[in-house]
Every structure is written in structure tokens, then in C-alpha cells.
Amino acid sequence: GFVYGCSPCKFVVHIECASQSSLQVIKNTNHEHPFTLFLRQVPFTCDACGTEGNHVSYTCGTCNIIIHKNCISLPHIIKSKWHDHPLLHTYFHHIEDFRVLDCLICHDEVNTEHGSYYCSKCDVIFHVKCAMKDKDSYEIVENEDEMPHESSISVIERNDAGEATKIKHFKHMHNLMLGPFVGGYENSCNGCMLPISDPFYYCSECVFFLHKACAELTKMKNVWHHHCQEPLALISDKALECQECWHISNAFAYECCGCEENKCLRCVIALTPGARTCLKHVHPLYFYRDYEGQCNACGDTTRGYGAFCCKDCNFVLDLGCFSLPITARHKCDEHLLSLTDNDDNSYSESHHCDICEESRDVNRWFYHCTTCDTSAHVGCVLGSYPFLKLGSIYEETNHPHPLIIVKKKYYYPDCDKCSKPCEDVALECSKLECKYIVHWDCVAPYFLRHWWKWGM
């Protein structure tokens, strides 16, 4: 339509904007003072969002800030899929309030001299343009204390420091105690299936362990890497294929209430925004969804599925390798095997795998026992189904009795379906007199079968 313009200055305004008073004042509930129209075209950096502007702006004379017109309506508090707590907008920050100034979304540093979103409970910060980029990734809330998703635990006892020492988790029948527990370190977390480590909770009545971080996850959760608008619900004891890492698991997972897509607990925790540490790497790692490159652990390309990358050096891990167990057990060695990178190639002169007896790439990660000098491929140690809980019940078959997930170590009975020895994960009848046993791959649905091989 028609506009007013100044050719020498290349200054253009809508008719309705030109008719506004130069003393126009806008009151905003998100800022304690009113903003006044500054009717002059000068370059500036918006103090609300930190990006540049080159048109008329609005100013607050009391606070000495200048902002875009659109930024006047920035919400003061939002609930974002990128973080578990409400995020608050502020124009001013003290740099000492934050341990890391990297935005949790783009990983670039946030300039604290301008506005940003931050969490008052954690030392995390976001660019305004990143937090507000996707309208489906946030919602406006009125109160910072608005109840988040319900906790998975109820606290029964606390110590003098306020730490929960006795809890009840809604996915377990008994109370859980905060470790340490003698012998507990040889077990795996029932939530993520990774080796147990401090801090953790254990059950004194049965073999059940949970990392403290796994226990404290909420019953419902919104995650940035899920495109459906519905939240995800915490589930357990359901065999599923994770839509992020493709591993088959029946431990804790999150399932979408809308599209029923599943994500294992390891991926939900690993993809929670923030810097991550990794095996023998001194710099923090950040996840980039669209990154394509070669994984340092397995040598495979990420093929656009995203990877954890180091900003300081050329170090990359795909999601599957990032979540590998740091320690693992195998019948080839009486000791725990440790995940090892390729920094030291002096472990074995022949560089072979002590399980399959085939050659091993010295530049790929492997499992190793320093006491026995045992070295083995990652796939040979973990097998095809490392995240299925052995001893748990699986009932989705045509067999009349419940079946138990087992993995025979020293003798391999013949499968009742294919007649081949059950050398990997199998399903065994819970009735001792039945003697029924079958390979997992012989009876499980096709989508619950392992169809790819480890890259190492």
C-alpha cells in the first residue's frame, strides 16, 4: 500500500506509523517502566534480544535500554521444551551468575550485556532468538512457581543436608535407599541399563537399582527432539525400539501420549541440552542434530542423525557410541572390562579380538582388561541386545506360559523354533517342567529384532 518515504535518507514508514505521536508511550507488563517511541533511524543492538536493528526503536529512559518494537511484547516467563524449569527473561545479567555462558540451543556464547532467557534454578542461559525461534517449542506461563510435571518419586526421609535418603518410586513396589551399597557396583541401573555408579538408589528387598538422575526424572516430560505436541510419559517393562539410537530395550523409556513414539532413558538424558563429558576427552561436548561427519569411536558416518561434537577440537561421537557402557562384563574375563579409546595402542601386539579371534582396528574403541590384557570388539562384548533386562518377563508370544529373558553363558540349549544353539538373548519358559526356550529373534516381532551391526 501507500507509504511515506524520504529518498535521501531511504527512510520509509507506514501511513499509520507516521500518524503516531512522536511521544507515543507503550506500557508493558513485562517491564516496570513504559517505553517511548524513538523516531529516528539509527543502528542499534536491542537490549531485549541482543540482535541488531536499523529502524525506529523504543527506549526506557529510566533503565537506559533500547529495544525493537516487537520485543516490547516478549513474554517474561516461558516453559520451553529445551529445559525442565520455567525460563525468565531479563535485560541485565551478572556474568559471575553463570558457570557457562553458552546458549543451550545453539551453543554459542550469550552476551550478558543484553537480554536473554535464563533459569533461576540452574546456571543455564539461552539466546532470546533461540528460545523463541520455534513457536511449538514453548508456551507462555504466568507464574515461575507454576507446577511442573509431577515427580516420579516421593521423599520419605532426608538427611541433615536435605538430600533424599529414602524414597518411593512410582515404578517400583519397595522403598529405595540412597547408596553406597556393597556389591551394588556390579549391577546395572534399571532405568537406563548402564552400569551403576554414584549417586544411586537401591532396593534392600530385591535387586533393583536406579541412578539418582534416573530416579528424579518426571512422570511426564516435554523434549525438544520430539516433534509431536503431546508430552511424553515415563514407562517401564515394555519392549521397544528407541527412535533415537535404535536399540531394543525394556527398561525405563518415555512414550509419546499422541503418536506413541518411544525414546529410551539413555537418549533422553544424553540429549538434555547442556555440555557433556566423555571418556578421556577433556573438552565439553555438545549435540548437533544436523551434523554429518565421522564418529571417532566406531568410524561410521553420522548420516545426518546428529552427533556430539567438541567446539575446541575435531572430536565427534554419534549418539550410540556416546551412550556406550563405560564398563561391561563378559565370560571371556573374570574382571570388569573397561571401554578404551585409541590413545594407547600398546595393549596387544596382534590387535585381535579375544572373543571372535578376528582382527581389531586399533583406531576404534574397544573393551579391555588391564589385568589379563584381554581386548575385544564392542559388539562382541555387548552382544545384540545389551539393554534388555535379563530375568524380566516377556508375555507377548503364543506360548501359554510367561517367558523369561535369559542369556546363557556356559551351555546353549537348542532353540525350539530353529534348532540352533541359543547363544545370545533367548526366551525361556518360567515353568521349569516346560523346558521351552527360543531365540529372541525367532519369536519377537520384526521391529523388536536387532537388524544392524556395531561399527566396532
Side-chain angles (χ1 to χ4, degrees):
F2 289 99
V3 296
Y4 286 107
C6 174
S7 298
C9 301
K10 297 182 179 179
F11 183 83
V12 179
V13 292
H14 291 121
I15 294 177
E16 60 271 20
C17 292
S19 62
Q20 294 176 0
S21 169
S22 59
L23 299 177
Q24 182 186 12
V25 175
I26 298 179
K27 293 183 179 181
N28 177 28
T29 57
N30 296 336
H31 188 65
E32 56 185 330
H33 309 128
F35 287 99
T36 304
L37 175 64
F38 183 60
L39 196 56
R40 184 178 178 183
Q41 186 180 16
V42 293
F44 67 96
T45 300
C46 176
D47 288 312
C49 67
T51 61
E52 295 181 354
N54 191 27
H55 42 76
V56 294
S57 58
Y58 284 78
T59 64
C60 172
T62 305
C63 300
N64 194 27
I65 58 177
I66 180 170
I67 68 172
H68 300 120
K69 181 178 181 180
N70 291 338
C71 287
I72 293 177
S73 58
L74 276 179
H76 180 55
I77 308 173
I78 62 172
K79 181 67 179 74
S80 173
K81 286 187 176 182
W82 291 88
H83 194 63
D84 289 335
H85 305 135
L87 302 180
L88 283 71
H89 179 267
T90 183
Y91 293 95
F92 309 102
H93 271 307
H94 297 291
I95 193 170
E96 60 271 13
D97 293 340
F98 297 91
R99 180 175 55 87
V100 178
L101 290 174
D102 291 335
C103 171
L104 288 194
I105 299 178
C106 71
H107 315 313
D108 291 334
E109 185 174 326
V110 177
N111 187 347
T112 56
E113 294 181 359
H114 303 290
S116 59
Y117 279 100
Y118 74 102
C119 175
S120 62
K121 297 179 175 64
C122 314
D123 58 347
V124 296
I125 193 169
F126 297 80
H127 289 120
V128 170
K129 61 182 178 63
C130 293
M132 308 292 289
K133 182 178 180 180
D134 184 2
K135 293 183 179 180
D136 295 330
S137 68
Y138 72 91
E139 57 183 289
I140 300 173
V141 297
E142 298 296 330
N143 189 350
E144 182 185 2
D145 297 325
E146 185 175 307
M147 287 297 293
H149 291 308
E150 185 180 359
S151 173
S152 298
I153 64 174
S154 54
V155 179
I156 300 174
E157 293 179 4
R158 295 183 184 272
N159 58 21
D160 294 339
E163 190 175 28
T165 55
K166 186 176 182 180
I167 64 170
K168 179 71 174 68
H169 194 280
F170 84 111
K171 287 296 184 181
H172 190 66
M173 65 184 75
H174 306 131
N175 294 332
L176 303 178
M177 306 296 295
L178 187 65
F181 174 69
V182 177
Y185 297 92
E186 297 180 1
N187 294 276
S188 297
C189 171
N190 284 68
C192 65
M193 291 303 294
L194 295 176
I196 204 69
S197 59
D198 283 327
F200 69 95
Y201 289 101
Y202 70 94
C203 179
S204 59
E205 301 183 47
C206 61
V207 183
F208 185 88
F209 299 87
L210 280 180
H211 292 121
K212 190 171 184 289
C214 296
E216 293 176 347
L217 290 170
T218 55
K219 291 182 180 180
M220 306 291 293
K221 190 175 181 66
N222 291 309
V223 293
W224 66 269
H225 45 89
H226 185 60
H227 299 293
C228 185
Q229 297 302 304
E230 298 296 328
L232 279 66
L234 184 63
I235 62 173
S236 65
D237 301 320
K238 176 183 177 180
L240 52 88
E241 180 188 45
C242 174
Q243 300 302 306
E244 295 290 341
C245 67
W246 306 332
H247 279 300
I248 310 301
S249 174
N250 63 338
F252 284 12
Y254 277 95
E255 183 175 68
C256 178
C257 302
C259 65
E260 298 185 354
E261 186 174 282
N262 301 299
K263 299 176 187 291
C264 71
L265 211 61
R266 292 178 309 282
C267 289
V268 169
I269 293 175
L271 294 177
T272 298
R276 294 287 180 269
T277 56
C278 180
L279 174 72
K280 292 186 178 181
H281 193 70
V282 296
H283 305 139
L285 302 179
Y286 296 91
F287 186 77
Y288 295 85
R289 172 60 89 186
D290 299 323
Y291 181 86
E292 291 192 28
Q294 187 179 50
C295 173
N296 284 62
C298 66
D300 289 346
T301 57
T302 60
R303 295 184 295 275
Y305 293 106
F308 291 89
C309 307
C310 178
K311 294 170 61 177
D312 300 308
C313 62
N314 188 26
F315 184 85
V316 178
L317 287 180
D318 61 31
L319 183 57
C321 293
F322 179 83
S323 298
L324 284 173
I326 301 301
T327 59
R329 286 193 174 275
H330 193 273
K331 67 176 184 178
C332 70
D333 198 290
E334 61 179 327
H335 308 109
L336 275 174
L337 301 173
S338 298
L339 186 64
T340 306
D341 62 9
N342 62 336
D343 287 345
D344 185 356
N345 295 328
S346 62
Y347 288 121
S348 173
E349 294 182 359
S350 57
H351 301 298
H352 68 280
C353 173
D354 289 313
I355 297 177
C356 69
E357 299 184 350
E358 295 184 4
S359 62
R360 180 174 53 80
D361 190 337
V362 297
N363 294 315
R364 304 299 170 229
W365 289 11
F366 60 99
Y367 282 101
H368 181 72
C369 172
T370 55
T371 304
C372 306
D373 196 27
T374 301
S375 300
H377 293 122
V378 168
C380 292
V381 173
L382 298 182
S384 298
Y385 302 100
F387 303 119
L388 282 174
K389 289 191 292 185
L390 302 181
S392 59
I393 299 296
Y394 183 79
E395 297 180 343
E396 299 175 28
T397 67
N398 294 326
H399 190 70
H401 310 137
L403 301 179
I404 301 175
I405 300 176
V406 297
K407 190 173 183 179
K408 301 299 183 181
K409 292 184 178 180
Y410 301 105
Y411 74 99
Y412 310 107
D414 291 340
C415 172
D416 285 357
K417 288 285 186 182
C418 67
S419 299
K420 296 180 180 179
C422 292
E423 293 182 332
D424 205 342
V425 172
L427 293 168
E428 187 176 55
C429 184
S430 57
K431 304 287 186 180
L432 295 178
E433 63 274 12
C434 185
K435 305 297 182 182
Y436 176 82
I437 186 170
V438 290
H439 288 113
W440 173 272
D441 284 345
C442 287
V443 294
Y446 179 77
F447 65 89
L448 291 180
R449 300 180 190 179
H450 186 87
W451 53 269
W452 57 277
K453 292 184 178 181
W454 293 94
M456 296 175 275

